Every structure is written in structure tokens, then in C-alpha cells.
Amino acid sequence: MASKDFFHSVRLDEEKCKGCINCIKRCPTGAIRVRRGKAYIISERCIDCGECIRICPNHAKYAERYSFNEILDYKYRVALPAPTLYGQFNNLDNVNYVLTALLRLGFDDVFEVSAGAELVSDATRLYLERSDIVRPVISSACPAIVRLIRVRFPNLIPNVLDLNAPMEEAARLARARAQKKTGLAPENIGVFFLTPCTAKISAIKQPICNEKSAVSGVFGIKDIYPVLLAQMEKLTRDEVEKLADSGFAGVRWASSGGESAALKDDRYLAADGIENVIQVLEELENEKLNDLDFIELNACSGGCVGGPLTVENPYVAKARLQRLRKYLPESCNRLAGAEIPREMRWETPLEPVDILKLDKDIRRAMEKMQRLNEIEKLLPGLDCGTCGAPSCRDLAEDIVRGKGAIEDCVFFTRDTADGSGCIPIPAPFRKSGEAKEKGDSRD
Amino acid sequence: MSLIELHYDVPGDDFSRAGEASGNVKAQLKKLGFDPALIRNVVIALYEGEINMVIHANGGTIDVSIDPDCIRMVLADHGPGIADVELAMQAGYSTAPDNVRALGFGAGMGLPNIKKYTDDMRIDTKLGEGTTMYLRVDVK
């Protein structure tokens, strides 16, 4: 597969990486290995969830950052704030403070992602009315989940909702509004998403079910937070413009369960945190959740408010959004007709990415598995990670895939080397008929 | 002798661990590249069997042999045995106690489901001694 298929927003600062094992242990898809003392990402396995950024004690894993000057490349600039942004500020009772401050930062317009979310909710309701769909329907709003499904649960692809996420919908509408207002060509209109997470950066830079994203650029909430806060503090009450155009139905998408609540259907499940999500997908695969209509999954604990690029604790942010409820209308955006507009749907279907198989040929895969199981028995089972793989079994798998050596295991090397430091070849590595080495009398 | 043989001990009376064996088998079958439909059949049958061992038999053992053309499973326990296999095979029939039903198990679908998802199912059972179930799922 071409490398362009795997853009990643998660990067490694080699200077800062100490080669510790925190990230390899935390990665939900086993995508990181420490090699020559640095933590490298196996590109095709990474789903950009950002867990490694969160856990790295040395801040060596980071999200790709873009210069704020990028907005100057466009004649007309629109900011797309994720609803999570509203949860970052203390005592906020009017989202127009945030939106007006964004204009002061140099944007010409703002378009709330929560407005796009309300339309996606409407479209999802229409989708759920169809009789020809695979239930339960899995939300596609979290790009890390969509990527997780295509690498680890490819047989659940038919369940995934084929609608663009609220960010994409908001970007499309923001562009249409800007074009109508200014008459500018599309390339002169810059649409910038203020993101709580790394997965959205990848969804913009390399969408998987659309040719191109309608979003031109992206800034992490934590990066824009200080300058935005400074602008908000300068604003007086009568300077605040009335810009908000979404209700609580859209804003509550920021925390887990919000997307489901907007569907007005009780047969839903909302799970957040990547480990919980994986368990739910396992159960779904085993046909244990067939009595549900909808499954909302968020890779981050608490939902988007728990994103790795946020400032505030996810539960504090959620409480603040909850408080906004009384100042907001229920919902402000509805679809015009009873049909889902074609532009709201993916251009191309979600395709699986095959990272699991040991070999294309099943018989050869079985031979590899047999060797893998034998090699695993030679390893201490401590899952210490010192070899650079997350567990002994992962090292055994790396070895049969030709990506590792048993000598990488410090315990194996310590316990099997003879007086001169030579390590005898263990049985699973011998070619058939090859004589046992001297001194290897254990098997 | 199959290319891959897996063995699991299923503990009795611990619902939180029920599903470990079938989950592990699923992970291996995915790595081997078996068809998703076959994997689903194996895993559902195995999970039902595993749950049965936890509910009725205070645990047991599972042996799985994987070949390119079929998956064979042997589930053995030293539980009470099944008094009337034919009755137990009927959908909705269950001898599960109330505390187990309260957990959402014991709907009387275990054995019928296992039959539904396998190509061959044989039960050896003796009252007071235990039950051994032989299952096979063929690669289509």
C-alpha cells in the first residue's frame, strides 16, 4: 500500500524520546515499537487516537502543529469551533463571547460545528428509519473509531454510519455561506477547525472516505486557548456579537452520550475510552448487542471533551457544558427535506485495512502461528516491554513476521548464553534436520 | 495432530472471566485469516459452551484444533451431566438457577445456539460425572 494512505498527525520528537515503554504498552492497536532506543510508530496500525501523546512522560509524542499564520494565505477565513471549546472556560454563560473573540483573532466568520452536528443528528434519524441497513448502526463521528474498525474489526464495516462527521458538514456549509457572501473562489476561502484531538487532524489531512476535506487547516484547542482567552478577557458585554446558531442538542455532542441523546431513541449504547470501546466492538462482533439501534463510540474518555489536545479535565468540561444548557435553545438546525442530501454522505465506502493476518495463505499463516506459539514458550511471559514490543506474545509475532529477533529479549539472552556469550539456536529457529548446537540440552 | 492446538482451563463460578477462551480463539483465527463468518460461528458456539461450563459445571477445559479445512472444539467438564439431552436441545428450556438468570443468562438458548452455529455437534454426558461436547465448524 502506498505510504500516502497513512498520514499521521502523531509525531515523535526523537530528542525527547528516552525509549521507555509507556506508549508501547498504552497503544490500543499495538502500533508502537521501541527500536534503537526510540519509539517508532508502525504506520498502517496507527489510528491517531493520541493515547501515546497523553501518556508520554517526556512529551516526546506530539500532535502535528500548524502555524497560525496559515490563515493569512486566504482572503476570507472562517473558524469552526468544536463544541468542546466551550467547555474549556470557567463561568461561560454565553458562547458568543468565544465566537466574538475568534473574530478578534483574525477570522472573518465563525461557523459552529455544533450546528453541523444538529444536521447530522437529523440525517442519522432518517438513516435509522430505513429497513435496509445493518443494525446496530455505529456512529462515524470519531475518526479514531472509524480507523480502529477498519484495522481491527473489518467485519463491522457494514454497521458504520456512512455520513460525514459534524466538522465536515459544518465546513461544507461554512464554505457555501462564505462563497455566497463574498463571491470569492473556493481556494481563497480558508476554513479552520479548532480541534480537541489528533484523530481529527488526520481526518482533515487525509480523509479516508472522501477525496478531500472541506477544512483547510486545523489548530489544537490547547494551542489557540491562551490567545483566545486573552481576547475574551478584553471583550465588554456590549461588544459581544450575536453569532451563535446552534442549540444544546448540538453542543452536547462534545461529551459521550450527547450524539445518542439527540436521536430520541432509547435503544442506544454510548461507550467512551478506547478500552471500553474495544470491548463493546468485541461483543458486537459476537452478536451480543443485536437489540440495539445505535452505538455511539468515542476513543477518548468522556468523549471529545477528553481529547488529547484539550486544556480542561473532561469531566469538568462536561459539567460546564451542562451548565450552558439553560442559556441555549434546544436545537436550531433541521434538514429541509425528508431525504439525506448526497453531500452529507461519504463519497466512497469504508475499506478494510488488513494488518492482522500473519500471511495471505492460510496454511502458511498456520505454520507461522505454530512457530509463534513455540517462540512464546521460550519467552519469560513478563511482558516487560524491554525488547521494544508491548508483550512477549507481540515479540513472538514480530519474530515470525521477520521484524524482531529472540535476542531482543534480555531474559532469554541472559539465561541462554554460554560462558563465551554465545546463544544456542532454539528449536523454532532451526531449519529441519539442523543439528542441535552444543550445550543446548534442554529440549 | 492438527497444525494448531489450543488448550484453555475455564474457571467455574466466575462470570467476569467467561469469554476469555472464546476471545483468545477469535484473536488467533483473525490472525490466521479465516473468513469472518466462520470466525463468528466458532466464537458464538464456543462462548455459549464456555458460559454453560461456568453456570452448570463449575468450569472445565476447552481444546481447540485448527486445521485449514475445519475447526474442532472439545469442551469437557465434570459437572452434573445432562439428564435429557433432547430436552436441553429445545429452545427456551433451561435448568439455570434464578441468580444466574438474573444476570441475563439461562435463557435456554445455549445448546440450540451451539447447534445452529456448528456443522457437527456430539454430546457425551453421564449424570453425576460430567459432559463432553464435540463441535466442528467447517471452512466453506
Side-chain angles (χ1 to χ4, degrees):
Chain A
M1 193 165 287
S3 62
K4 88 162 206 20
D5 288 336
F6 300 110
F7 167 92
H8 290 299
S9 52
V10 178
R11 300 295 161 93
L12 175 73
D13 183 338
E14 289 202 15
E15 293 274 296
K16 288 184 181 165
C17 179
K18 287 184 175 168
C20 72
I21 56 157
N22 283 293
C23 61
I24 60 173
K25 286 279 188 191
R26 187 76 196 95
C27 177
T29 55
I32 313 177
R33 295 290 181 278
V34 175
R35 295 274 176 262
R36 292 174 299 279
K38 304 291 169 193
Y40 294 107
I41 294 175
I42 304 168
S43 189
E44 63 268 30
R45 294 189 184 187
C46 174
I47 58 168
D48 290 295
C49 64
E51 290 293 330
C52 53
I53 294 180
R54 226 193 290 270
I55 200 152
C56 179
N58 306 308
H59 308 287
K61 284 271 194 300
Y62 65 98
E64 174 95 290
R65 268 175 84 163
Y66 299 92
S67 157
F68 195 67
N69 287 339
E70 246 184 53
I71 72 166
L72 303 174
D73 295 345
Y74 299 87
K75 287 192 179 124
Y76 191 82
R77 308 137 195 165
V78 188
L80 300 183
T84 296
L85 182 65
Y86 310 147
Q88 310 300 307
F89 307 100
N90 209 1
N91 296 321
L92 183 74
D93 55 6
N94 182 355
V95 297
N96 287 314
Y97 267 95
V98 181
L99 303 177
T100 307
L102 282 170
L103 296 186
R104 297 282 169 98
L105 281 181
F107 291 101
D108 298 294
D109 193 13
V110 286
F111 198 107
E112 296 177 274
V113 171
S114 43
E118 290 179 348
L119 294 169
V120 175
S121 290
D122 232 14
T124 308
R125 279 193 292 267
L126 290 174
Y127 185 85
L128 287 171
E129 281 170 16
R130 283 167 51 176
S131 56
D132 60 339
I133 52 169
V134 181
R135 284 170 207 269
V137 171
I138 304 172
S139 162
S140 56
C142 173
I145 299 298
V146 177
R147 282 161 161 80
L148 175 71
I149 289 172
R150 76 170 182 163
V151 297
R152 268 190 69 169
F153 300 93
N155 28 334
L156 295 177
I157 285 178
N159 296 69
V160 180
L161 183 67
D162 66 347
L163 292 178
N164 288 326
M167 169 192 79
E168 210 52 48
E169 179 60 8
R172 186 176 70 81
L173 296 171
R175 282 189 169 278
R177 184 159 88 187
Q179 244 162 308
K180 203 173 157 198
K181 190 176 164 193
T182 65
L184 287 169
E187 62 268 25
N188 290 325
I189 298 167
V191 176
F192 294 86
F193 179 58
L194 309 181
T195 184
C197 73
T198 45
K200 286 286 185 200
I201 301 178
S202 301
I204 292 163
K205 298 294 171 183
Q206 197 182 78
I208 51 179
C209 294
N210 287 327
E211 180 66 28
K212 199 174 178 297
S213 170
V215 182
S216 335
V218 57
F219 305 113
I221 285 179
K222 74 179 174 64
D223 298 326
I224 206 162
Y225 178 83
V227 280
L228 186 61
L229 189 65
Q231 287 296 338
M232 284 170 68
E233 280 167 354
K234 276 189 236 161
L235 282 177
T236 61
R237 194 160 273 275
D238 29 293
E239 283 174 328
V240 175
E241 296 177 47
K242 197 191 164 306
L243 299 161
D245 186 28
S246 70
F248 190 65
V251 169
R252 74 191 304 187
W253 270 64
S255 65
S256 177
E259 179 185 3
S260 302
L263 295 176
K264 310 218 184 320
D265 177 342
D266 290 334
R267 286 153 49 104
Y268 76 83
L269 176 158
D272 52 279
I274 195 82
E275 296 304 328
N276 293 326
V277 163
I278 289 169
Q279 277 178 21
V280 167
L281 291 171
E282 292 280 359
E283 296 228 344
L284 180 58
E285 217 175 31
N286 298 347
E287 304 200 348
K288 298 268 174 310
L289 303 172
N290 289 349
D291 54 344
L292 295 170
D293 282 332
F294 189 75
I295 298 188
E296 174 187 341
L297 301 172
N298 286 290
C300 298
S301 291
C304 300
V305 285
L309 306 183
T310 57
V311 177
E312 194 47 88
N313 169 284
Y315 300 96
V316 173
K318 186 182 176 178
R320 288 178 181 165
L321 291 176
Q322 204 62 37
R323 191 171 164 266
L324 273 176
R325 179 177 213 155
K326 67 177 170 198
Y327 304 105
L328 287 171
E330 171 62 23
S331 172
C332 305
N333 300 275
R334 294 300 304 265
L335 285 181
E339 291 268 323
I340 302 173
R342 180 67 193 96
E343 313 84 77
M344 288 187 76
R345 308 193 42 191
W346 288 343
E347 289 164 6
T348 50
L350 183 62
E351 298 285 351
V353 173
D354 200 354
I355 59 158
L356 295 172
K357 284 180 198 166
L358 290 172
D359 200 290
K360 279 195 198 97
D361 177 71
I362 214 162
R363 196 168 277 276
R364 227 174 293 156
M366 291 180 76
E367 284 162 14
K368 284 185 182 171
M369 180 67 82
Q370 206 178 12
R371 261 185 80 210
L372 193 163
N373 290 340
E374 280 179 51
I375 294 167
E376 193 187 6
K377 286 184 204 141
L378 296 170
L379 299 170
L382 297 172
D383 294 341
C384 66
T386 313
C387 63
S391 70
C392 293
R393 193 166 174 83
D394 287 306
L395 174 61
E397 187 175 329
D398 286 352
I399 294 169
V400 300
R401 287 184 190 270
K403 302 266 166 74
I406 195 150
E407 292 81 11
D408 292 341
C409 174
V410 291
F411 295 94
F412 177 87
T413 304
R414 184 193 70 185
D415 296 345
T416 46
D418 60 22
S420 63
C422 284
I423 300 161
I425 303 170
F429 297 93
R430 268 182 233 132
K431 295 186 186 105
S432 53
E434 193 176 336
K436 280 183 187 179
E437 296 223 347
K438 216 177 81 184
D440 182 14
S441 56
R442 297 191 308 171
D443 54 9
Chain B
M1 185 75 181
S2 299
L3 273 173
I4 295 170
E5 314 222 313
L6 307 168
H7 174 85
Y8 303 94
D9 292 312
V10 180
D13 234 20
D14 186 352
F15 277 90
S16 67
R17 285 185 57 189
E20 264 183 23
S22 47
N24 187 288
V25 170
K26 178 158 93 173
Q28 300 224 16
L29 292 176
K30 278 188 174 184
K31 295 228 152 139
L32 291 171
F34 280 98
D35 180 62
L38 171 128
I39 297 176
R40 186 197 60 191
N41 293 348
V42 169
V43 172
I44 293 176
L46 201 54
Y47 180 77
E48 293 286 0
E50 212 180 334
I51 287 285
N52 279 347
M53 283 182 175
V54 177
I55 297 176
H56 299 285
N58 198 30
T61 58
I62 295 177
D63 286 280
V64 181
S65 322
I66 305 173
D67 284 294
D69 57 340
C70 76
I71 318 292
R72 289 192 191 82
M73 296 162 265
V74 181
L75 294 84
D77 68 55
H78 297 289
I82 304 169
D84 187 337
V85 174
E86 221 170 286
L87 193 58
M89 289 297 293
Q90 283 176 20
Y93 178 81
S94 176
T95 58
D98 285 345
N99 64 333
V100 170
R101 286 172 188 253
L103 291 167
F105 297 98
M109 291 309 293
L111 293 185
N113 256 343
I114 293 174
K115 189 165 180 59
K116 185 176 150 194
Y117 288 101
T118 53
D119 293 290
D120 189 55
M121 172 187 191
R122 202 155 51 78
I123 299 176
D124 280 353
T125 183
K126 207 164 177 193
L127 277 182
E129 289 187 16
T131 302
T132 303
M133 199 156 50
Y134 301 87
L135 310 174
R136 199 189 72 232
V137 178
D138 296 328
V139 174
K140 301 282 178 331

